[in-house]
Amino acid sequence: MNELTRMPASEQARLLADREVSARELTAAHLDRIAAVDEQVHAFLHVNERALEVAESIDARRAAGEAVGELAGVPVAIKDVLCTSDMPTTAASRILEGWVPPYDATVVSRLREAGLVPLGKTNMDEFAMGSSTEHSAYGPTRNPWDLERIPGGSGGGSSAAVAAFEAAIALGSDTGGSIRQPAAVTGTVGMKPTYGGVSRYGAIALASSLDQVGPVSRTVLDSAMLHDIIGGHDPRDSTSLTDQWPSFTEAARAGARAEAFKGLRVGVVKQLSGGEGFQAGVTQRFEAALTAMSDAGAEIVEVDAPNFEYAIAAYYLILPAEASSNLAKFDSVRFGLRVTPEGGGTVEDVMSATRAAGFGDEVKRRVILGTYALSAGYYDAYYGSAQKVRTLIQRDFDAAFRQADVLVSPSAPTTAFKLGERVDDPLAMYLNDLTTIPANLAGVPGIALPIGLAPEDGLPVGIQFMAPQRADARLYEVGAALESLLEQAWGHTLISQAPDLSLGEMLAATEGAV
Amino acid sequence: MSESSTADITAEQVAHLAHLARIDLTPEELQRLTGELAQIVHAVEKVTEVATSDIPATSHPVALHNVFRPDVVGATLSTEAALAGAPEHDGSRFKVSAILGEEQ
Amino acid sequence: MAKTDLMDFDKALELFEPVLGFEVHVELSTKTKMFSDAPNIFGAEPNTAITPVCLGLPGSLPVVNEQAVRYSISLGLALGCEIAESSRFARKNYFYPDLAKNYQISQYDEPIAFDGSIEVELEDGTLVTVPIERAHMEEDAGKLTHVGGSTGRIQGAEYSLVDYNRAGVPLVEIVTRPIFGAEHRAPELAKAYVSTIRDLVRALGISDARMERGNLRCDANVSLRPRGQERLGIRTETKNVNSLRSVERAVRYEIQRQAAILAKGGTIVQETRHWHEDTGTTSAGRPKSDADDYRYFPEPDLLPVVPSAELIKELRAALPEQPVAMRRRLKADWGFNDQEFRDIVNAGLLTEVLETTQQGAAAFQARKWWMGEILRIANARDVEPSSLVTPHQVSELIALVESGDLTDRLAREVLEGVIAGEGTPEEIVEARGLKVVSDDGALIAAIDEALAAQPDVLDKIRSGKVQAAGAVIGAVMKAMRGQADAARVRELVLERAGA
Ligand SMILES: [Mg+2]
Ligand SMILES: [Zn+2]
C-alpha cells in the first residue's frame, strides 16, 4: 500500500503545501487503493472519473501561486445521500438508479470551493435507513477489519472507505447515529454536528428534524478540518444556524496539546452505558477510557437521564413519520425509476408499481409505519407523544449538562456484528442506535472515536462524547485529547492495527489494476 | 394507548396504509408487514407512558423562528436540466399516464 | 346521462334555507415563489420558472418568502382577523402529479390569521357581514394539461403533461364560517363576496386577482336545511368556480339541484363537485372518504412565523379602506347615480374603472368604455372584460380621444387593435394611420373640393337649410377616410357658408 494513503488528511495537506507531493499523485494513490480493495470492501457506489482532472487543476492553481484552502488537493469520499452535479446520486436506492442531480449539495459546493478532490460516492443503507449498510440496493459494504462483518450504517460506505485507506476523509450524514455508529465499528472518527451547524441543502432527506451532515475520518483533527469547510450558515436551509463558529481545527490542535482533562467534568450517562445488550468488551474498553481520563485529571460523574429510555421509541415514530412524507417525492414523474404495470394503468397505478419495485423492504416498512403514525386518529398518540418525549429528552440533557461539561457513552453497544445476523429482525437492528439517538432528538453534537479493541473479538470499540448545542468545538478539543492520550499509551494509532487487505491488493496487482 | 391496540392492526389496515403511501404490496409482503408493524407499534407505544398533556411538543431540536428569504429572484433551472432526469417528457413538460381522477 | 332534476328556485327557497361557505384562494403577486427564489410569473414557457425546490428534487429545501408573509398579514388584517402570535407551516400529504413533493406546504392548526369578518354589499345596498374563520398561507400546485380524449378534460385523456411554473406560487386561502340568512339572495351574496375579496386584494396591491388567470379561485360550499331545522344539511363543495358570474350561477344551480333531491326524500352526497362553465351545471366529483387522510404534521423544514407587534402595527397603518367604504366614497367622488354605480359593481368592473381613473381618465369616460364597448366585446366572446385590456391601455385610449387625436369611432378601431395584441393605443394609431386629420388646411381643401362638386349646397345653407351641410360633411369624411372630426368639418363648412 502506498504510504500516502495511510496518512491522515492533515499530513497529506502538509505534503501538498510543501510541494512534496502533487494532488494528482495523491489522488492517483487513492484511486489505486480503491481499485485494489474496493471489490472486497464495496465502499463506493461510484468512483469519480474526473478525479485526476480535478486534482490537476488544483495543482495548476497552486503552481500559479493562487491561495488555496488548507485541504486543497486532498481527496474526499462523499456519501451517496449528498447531491453531486457530476456524479450519480442514488441514496443507494433502486428508485434513483443513475440519477444525476442538476445541482450540488451546499456541503459539496463548499468542498469544491476549498479545492478538495471528490473521489466518488459511498455506499449506505437505502435512504439512510439502517445500521449495517445491508439495506443498500447495490449490495452491502464490508468491514475492513473483518470482511464478514458489517461496517455500521447507514454510512458504512464512508466509514469503510476511511478504515480501508481508500480515502482519508469522507462526508456522512447522521439521523440517529449513521456517522457515529459506523465510526465505532470501523475504528474511525465521526462527528454529528449541532443540528443546524451544517447545511442540509442537497442532502436527500430522511428525517428533516434529525438529519445532520458531518465529517468522517481516521483522526479527530481531520474531522475538525473537514467540519470547518462544510459548516456554517446556509440561507438555503431554514434550519441552518447563523452562529459564527470557532475554528474546530484549532480546537482539535489545542486538545491534542493541552491538558484538556484537568478539571473537566465527564458525565457518564447511566442509561447509555451498560446493561442489557452491551457487549462485555465494549464495557471494558469504555471503563478503561474513563480511567485514562480520570488519571489525566477529569472528574467522572454519573448522570441520570431517565427519559432516554424512551428515545428509541420516540425516534422510531418521528423518523418514519417524517420519512414517509419526505420519500413521497419518489413517484416516477420528475426523476428516477418508472415502472408501468402490465397493460398500462393510471398514474396512480404507475406510482404504486414504481414505489413497490424501487423501494427495498426496510424503506417500505418505515414508510408504512410512518404513514400509520401520522394517520387520522393515531397522530396524537404516536407522533404527538413522540414529540413530547423529545421535550423530555431535551430537559434531561439540560439537567445533565448542569452536572457535566461533556457526556460520554460507548458509541455503540456492540462491536461489528456479522453480515446477515440482524437483517431479518428490525427491532434488534433498531437497538444498534441506542446510544446515539438521544443526541439527534435533542440536536446536540456528538463525536465518536476509537478507544481500543474488544478482547473477545479483536474488533474496534468507540466512545461517544456529547456536548450542549453549539459546543461542537468542545468535542473536538476533548476528542483530540483522549485520542492523543490513548495513542501515547498504546504507542500507535488504533487504525494501524487494521488488516491491510493486501491479499486483495496483490490479486488486483496481478490483474494489472494497480 | 391500551395494550390491545397492537392486536388491532389488520391486513386491511396495512393495505389501506400502503394505498395512502402508494406502494403496491404482494400478498406475502402484506402479511409480513402486518406482523412486523404490530410488533414495532407495540414497542414504540411506550412513548405514551410519559407523554402527558402538560408537556409541550418539540418539533425542532434547535428553536428558531422568523427565518425568511428576501423576495429577490435567483437562478432558475433550464428546462433541459429540469427534464434531464425525467422518465418521460415532451420536450418542455413532464409526461405522466392518464390520471383518471380529479384535480385537487 | 339523465338530465339532472332542478327545483324552481323560489320554490326551493320556500322549502329550504341555504347555508353557504367559501374557500377563496388568492395568488399573491410577489416577485418570487412562496418557498423558492424562482420567479412568480404568468404565461412563461413551460418549466422555465423553476428551481430544484419547485420540482421537489431530492435534497431541496423550502425557505419562506418574507414579502408573502407581509402580504398575508395585511390581508388578514384587512379581513378583520386576529394575527397569530405564532403561526406554523404544516405538510398536507397526498399524491398528485401536479404536486411536486406529493405534499403541499400549507398551514393547519396554526394559521397566520383567524376570526375575522368582512362587510359585503348587495345590489340594493344591503350590507351582509361574512364571518371569516381563517386565512392561511400555502403554495400553489403545477399545471396539468390533459391530452387525448375529446375536450382536454381529465376524463378520457390518454396522458397528461405537467408544467411546474405555477408550483410554489404563494397563496392565501380564505375560509369563511357558515353563512346564514342570505336566503333568496344566496347566489347574489356569493358573487358579491368574491367580488369584495377581489376588490380588497387589488386595493391592498397584493394580488393581480385576475380570475381568468386563476389568480383568484373560489370553492363554493352549499347546503340546504328544511325550514325550522336546527341541524345543518349535508354540503357539497363546488370546486374552481373561476368567474364572478359563475359563482352566482353555481350557487343557484346547487340550491336547485339539492332541493330537488331533498324534496323527493333523497340525501345529498357529501362530495366535491365540478362546475361546467359551458353547460352551467355541476357534476359529481370524488366523494369524501378516508382517502382524505392528509396526515398533516408540522413542516420540519420550516420554523414558526412570529410576527412582531411593530410589524403588525406598520401593516395595519398601511391598510386601504374597506371595500364597502371605498365604494361609497367612489360613488360620491365620481358623481354617479345609484343605478350607474351599481351597474359597474355588478359587471365586476369597479376595480377596472377605478384603476383607469387612477391613470388619469375621467370617471365618466372610464365608465363609458368599460361598461360600453369593452363589456360588449367581452359578452360577445364570453370572456371577462379584464382579460381583454388593462386599465392602463384604456386610460391611454381615453387620453387620445380627449386630446382630439381620435374620434370615438377611431378609438373603437384602436381598441380592437389593442385587444388583438397589436400594441399600445399610440402604436396602433401609428401603425394603422388612424390619427384624426386636425389640420384645418387639409380639411378646407377637401371642403372646397366637395363644395365645387355640389355648387347648390352653399346657397341652400345660406337660405337657412343648414341640414344641407350634411352632404358636404359626408363627402369630406369620406375623402378623409373617416379620420376627421365631423364636428370640426361641420363648423368649417358653416364658416365658409357664412363668410
Ligand atoms: Mg381547501
Ligand atoms: Zn388551499
Side-chain angles (χ1 to χ4, degrees):
Chain A
M1 192 189 321
N2 189 317
E3 277 308 309
L4 286 172
T5 60
R6 296 192 70 89
M7 291 174 188
S10 56
E11 285 286 303
Q12 296 171 353
R14 194 182 51 76
L15 294 182
L16 287 165
D18 294 348
R19 314 284 177 92
E20 284 176 37
V21 64
S22 69
R24 191 188 196 288
E25 267 174 90
L26 185 62
T27 302
H30 285 93
L31 291 173
D32 288 348
R33 175 70 180 169
I34 291 170
V37 303
D38 208 55
E39 207 165 306
Q40 302 170 69
V41 178
H42 194 226
F44 285 87
L45 293 177
H46 182 88
V47 177
N48 188 3
E49 302 87 354
R50 296 222 299 274
L52 288 176
E53 223 177 280
V54 174
E56 281 163 11
S57 76
I58 305 298
D59 286 333
R61 284 170 57 188
R62 212 175 227 125
E66 235 181 272
V68 293
E70 199 175 349
L71 290 184
V74 173
V76 59
I78 298 169
K79 188 177 180 181
D80 204 35
V81 77
L82 296 166
C83 285
T84 46
S85 57
D86 56 352
M87 289 182 275
T89 301
T90 70
S93 181
R94 209 46 92 185
I95 212 161
L96 271 184
E97 190 165 4
W99 182 61
V100 181
Y103 75 112
D104 276 332
T106 296
V107 290
V108 172
S109 308
R110 290 184 180 175
L111 291 184
R112 295 194 207 275
E113 280 157 27
L116 280 81
V117 180
L119 271 180
K121 305 299 287 287
T122 56
N123 200 9
M124 55 188 281
D125 286 297
E126 183 178 3
F127 288 110
M129 294 183 187
S131 309
S132 67
T133 314
E134 290 168 291
H135 295 306
S136 166
Y138 305 102
T141 297
R142 291 164 183 276
N143 191 322
W145 289 80
D146 177 349
L147 295 172
E148 295 308 306
R149 291 178 188 266
I150 60 105
S154 64
S158 283
S159 67
V162 168
F165 303 99
E166 295 173 88
I169 46 176
L171 290 183
S173 70
D174 189 315
T175 305
S178 289
I179 288 175
R180 291 161 289 160
Q181 181 260 7
V185 298
T186 56
T188 57
V189 176
M191 167 81 170
K192 182 202 87 75
T194 294
Y195 183 83
V198 176
S199 170
R200 292 185 295 118
Y201 190 77
I204 299 176
L206 170 55
S208 311
S209 73
L210 301 165
D211 297 345
Q212 265 301 284
V213 175
V216 172
S217 61
R218 292 188 295 261
T219 69
V220 173
L221 175 61
D222 280 5
S223 273
M225 293 175 88
L226 190 51
H227 192 166
D228 277 334
I229 292 167
I230 60 172
H233 182 241
D234 177 13
R236 292 191 181 279
D237 174 1
S238 302
T239 60
S240 167
L241 299 173
T242 53
D243 299 45
Q244 285 297 318
W245 299 90
S247 162
F248 301 128
T249 306
E250 270 173 37
R253 285 188 172 133
R257 281 193 305 263
E259 309 256 81
F261 289 110
K262 277 258 154 60
L264 186 81
R265 295 174 304 161
V266 174
V268 179
V269 186
K270 197 170 97 185
Q271 283 74 9
L272 307 183
S273 303
E276 207 190 328
F278 281 83
Q279 192 179 316
V282 168
T283 304
Q284 192 218 66
R285 279 295 165 185
F286 178 64
E287 273 159 13
L290 292 178
T291 306
M293 288 187 271
S294 171
D295 291 348
E299 182 193 336
I300 310 292
V301 294
E302 191 187 72
V303 299
D304 192 18
N307 294 295
F308 282 19
E309 196 192 316
Y310 301 92
I312 290 190
Y315 177 79
Y316 278 101
L317 285 165
I318 294 168
L319 178 144
E322 293 185 7
S324 70
S325 176
N326 283 332
L327 267 58
K329 59 172 61 84
F330 300 98
D331 64 358
S332 81
V333 177
R334 295 160 309 283
F335 44 79
L337 183 72
R338 174 175 293 181
V339 173
T340 305
E342 258 178 72
T346 63
V347 70
E348 183 179 312
D349 299 331
V350 174
M351 284 182 184
S352 301
T354 299
R355 291 162 65 80
F359 287 156
D361 286 345
E362 181 63 15
V363 174
K364 289 178 190 174
R365 186 152 46 226
R366 294 201 198 181
V367 167
I368 303 255
L369 174 61
T371 305
Y372 177 68
L374 289 175
S375 57
Y378 297 98
Y379 178 93
D380 287 340
Y382 295 134
Y383 191 75
S385 295
Q387 298 284 45
K388 289 180 173 189
V389 167
R390 206 164 176 169
T391 306
L392 295 172
I393 285 168
Q394 286 204 332
R395 288 179 185 170
D396 281 359
F397 268 114
D398 290 345
F401 285 125
R402 282 195 289 273
Q403 292 169 260
D405 302 307
V406 290
L407 300 178
V408 284
S409 76
S411 304
T414 69
T415 57
F417 47 90
K418 290 229 163 75
L419 286 159
E421 199 177 287
R422 300 185 192 173
V423 74
D424 292 323
D425 186 351
L427 280 176
M429 191 70 99
Y430 296 171
L431 287 173
N432 287 317
D433 299 325
L434 172 75
T435 54
T436 45
I437 281 171
N440 298 81
L441 290 171
V444 305
I447 194 168
L449 58 137
I451 49 172
L453 303 177
E456 62 267 46
D457 54 20
L459 291 168
V461 174
I463 191 171
Q464 168 184 233
F465 288 96
M466 291 175 284
Q469 286 183 358
R470 300 179 157 90
D472 302 48
R474 192 183 301 170
L475 294 183
Y476 285 115
E477 191 180 342
V478 173
L482 179 62
E483 181 184 58
S484 80
L485 202 65
L486 293 174
E487 286 175 2
Q488 275 167 35
W490 300 330
H492 55 74
T493 63
L494 186 92
I495 198 71
S496 65
Q497 306 297 101
D500 69 3
L501 305 169
S502 56
L503 179 65
E505 195 160 13
M506 277 161 51
L507 286 174
T510 55
E511 285 159 16
V514 173
Chain B
M1 265 300 115
S2 66
E3 285 290 303
S4 66
S5 64
T6 55
D8 291 346
I9 291 176
T10 61
E12 290 70 44
Q13 210 173 351
V14 175
H16 172 63
L17 294 169
H19 174 70
L20 279 179
R22 297 291 185 275
I23 302 176
D24 278 345
L25 295 179
T26 63
E28 297 75 47
E29 280 180 314
L30 182 62
Q31 209 185 349
R32 183 167 49 73
L33 273 168
T34 304
E36 285 173 354
L37 195 64
Q39 224 193 340
I40 297 170
V41 168
H42 182 66
V44 297
E45 260 178 350
K46 196 175 167 167
V47 292
T48 58
E49 290 170 19
V50 284
T52 50
S53 60
D54 55 320
I55 299 161
T58 295
S59 46
H60 291 89
V62 182
L64 299 172
H65 62 263
N66 291 346
V67 178
F68 299 131
R69 170 178 65 74
D71 189 22
V72 177
V73 175
T76 53
L77 283 176
S78 69
T79 308
E80 221 181 358
L83 297 173
E88 230 185 319
H89 62 81
D90 78 341
S92 71
R93 287 168 295 184
F94 298 87
K95 191 170 168 182
V96 297
S97 313
I99 292 172
L100 278 188
E102 62 170 303
E103 282 148 292
Q104 298 285 325
Chain C
M1 205 185 355
K3 198 174 174 332
T4 309
D5 264 349
L6 297 182
M7 184 183 280
D8 171 72
F9 185 73
D10 290 331
K11 174 99 184 293
L13 265 294
E14 252 169 57
L15 298 175
F16 302 102
E17 180 199 350
V19 180
L20 303 179
F22 301 100
E23 288 164 31
V24 171
H25 284 86
V26 179
E27 279 186 349
L28 301 179
S29 54
T30 49
K31 292 190 184 69
T32 64
K33 295 189 183 177
M34 186 73 219
F35 303 114
S36 155
D37 59 5
N40 171 14
I41 46 175
F42 180 87
E45 289 297 310
N47 292 308
T48 54
I50 48 167
T51 66
V53 179
C54 310
L55 289 184
L57 292 189
S60 64
L61 293 171
V63 186
V64 176
N65 181 341
E66 180 162 30
Q67 183 71 290
V69 173
R70 292 171 64 98
Y71 282 0
S72 304
I73 294 172
S74 289
L75 179 51
L77 290 170
L79 292 168
C81 289
E82 306 270 326
I83 302 302
E85 265 175 46
S86 177
S87 163
R88 252 198 315 194
F89 290 99
R91 291 189 187 175
K92 179 182 183 180
N93 294 285
Y94 65 91
F95 282 83
Y96 211 73
D98 63 5
L99 193 62
K101 305 177 291 295
N102 289 315
Y103 58 81
Q104 180 194 32
I105 305 179
S106 181
Q107 297 195 292
Y108 181 53
D109 52 356
E110 297 178 47
I112 185 83
F114 55 95
D115 280 353
S117 67
I118 182 138
E119 298 254 273
V120 172
E121 190 174 25
L122 299 182
E123 289 192 16
D124 66 351
T126 308
L127 291 180
V128 178
T129 302
V130 173
I132 305 291
E133 183 184 307
R134 56 189 279 150
H136 67 250
M137 299 183 272
E138 58 185 27
E139 57 178 336
D140 212 339
K143 193 165 166 285
L144 286 165
T145 306
H146 308 296
V147 184
S150 51
T151 55
R153 283 218 187 115
I154 193 164
Q155 264 78 22
E158 282 166 43
Y159 60 92
S160 302
L161 296 167
V162 204
D163 166 17
Y164 291 99
N165 281 350
R166 197 181 62 181
V169 165
L171 293 174
V172 176
E173 180 177 341
I174 304 166
V175 183
T176 68
R177 293 190 189 285
I179 304 162
F180 302 95
E183 298 297 348
H184 64 284
R185 306 171 81 166
E188 187 194 335
L189 174 65
K191 179 180 160 189
Y193 170 71
V194 177
S195 153
T196 302
I197 296 292
R198 182 170 166 275
D199 291 349
L200 184 67
V201 298
R202 291 273 284 259
L204 284 162
I206 63 172
S207 174
D208 297 335
R210 292 177 66 170
M211 295 189 78
E212 76 283 0
R213 285 187 173 184
N215 297 148
L216 195 83
R217 310 197 287 266
C218 178
D219 302 344
N221 297 323
V222 177
S223 70
L224 299 183
R225 59 178 170 186
R227 296 279 158 199
Q229 179 181 300
E230 187 73 20
R231 182 169 42 84
L232 288 178
I234 294 166
R235 68 186 162 89
T236 60
E237 180 180 5
T238 305
K239 291 274 197 189
N240 293 323
V241 201
N242 291 336
S243 76
L244 291 174
R245 202 164 52 121
S246 302
V247 172
E248 184 168 17
R249 291 167 72 203
V251 168
R252 176 180 293 271
Y253 181 88
E254 268 304 287
I255 290 172
Q256 292 182 271
R257 187 187 68 85
Q258 291 186 18
I261 293 170
L262 292 170
K264 277 197 205 143
T267 49
I268 305 300
V269 182
Q270 184 169 355
E271 63 189 356
T272 59
R273 295 188 67 84
H274 299 289
W275 170 247
H276 304 287
E277 190 70 52
D278 45 355
T279 55
T281 60
T282 65
S283 67
R286 187 172 47 84
K288 292 270 172 195
S289 73
D290 57 358
D292 292 331
D293 187 347
Y294 293 123
R295 289 156 286 136
Y296 282 99
F297 71 104
E299 166 57 281
D301 288 326
L302 295 173
L303 287 310
V305 175
V306 183
S308 69
E310 298 80 69
L311 176 66
I312 292 172
K313 202 175 151 196
E314 176 201 328
L315 295 175
R316 196 189 292 281
L319 288 182
E321 64 194 323
Q322 285 287 301
V324 167
M326 183 182 79
R327 286 179 188 188
R328 300 222 157 129
R329 178 178 57 79
L330 291 179
K331 182 164 166 281
D333 286 358
W334 292 346
F336 292 156
N337 66 33
D338 283 358
Q339 188 61 49
E340 287 168 332
F341 192 80
R342 196 179 304 149
D343 286 348
I344 299 174
V345 172
N346 292 340
L349 288 171
L350 185 63
T351 311
E352 281 67 25
V353 171
L354 172 61
E355 287 173 5
T356 307
T357 64
Q358 285 165 346
Q359 306 277 342
F364 82 94
Q365 285 279 21
R367 175 178 174 278
K368 184 178 96 177
W369 282 95
W370 283 105
M371 295 299 293
E373 191 64 10
I374 301 170
L375 189 57
R376 191 186 60 73
I377 298 172
N379 287 341
R381 298 188 190 177
D382 205 16
V383 295
E384 292 283 333
S386 59
S387 69
L388 297 174
V389 281
T390 65
H392 183 71
Q393 291 165 328
V394 176
S395 72
E396 279 181 352
L397 191 69
I398 292 170
L400 289 168
V401 174
E402 290 286 287
S403 67
D405 285 341
L406 288 180
T407 61
D408 272 12
R409 202 187 61 75
L410 289 175
R412 282 197 291 276
E413 216 177 301
V414 172
L415 179 67
E416 268 169 38
V418 173
I419 291 171
E422 289 169 21
T424 66
E426 294 264 19
E427 287 164 1
I428 293 161
V429 166
E430 193 66 37
R432 292 197 182 183
L434 290 178
K435 211 160 190 165
V436 163
V437 178
S438 52
D439 170 4
D440 282 358
L443 291 179
I444 289 165
I447 289 169
D448 286 348
E449 204 172 303
L451 287 173
Q454 305 177 65
D456 54 328
V457 170
L458 268 186
D459 294 333
K460 282 185 185 167
I461 295 172
R462 282 177 189 141
S463 66
K465 288 185 181 167
V466 177
Q467 65 273 30
V472 174
I473 296 167
V476 170
M477 291 302 286
K478 196 173 171 192
M480 295 283 122
R481 300 202 322 279
Q483 286 166 237
D485 180 348
R488 180 65 188 150
V489 173
R490 183 184 168 81
E491 251 172 56
L492 289 171
V493 171
L494 295 181
E495 242 175 65
R496 287 197 83 69

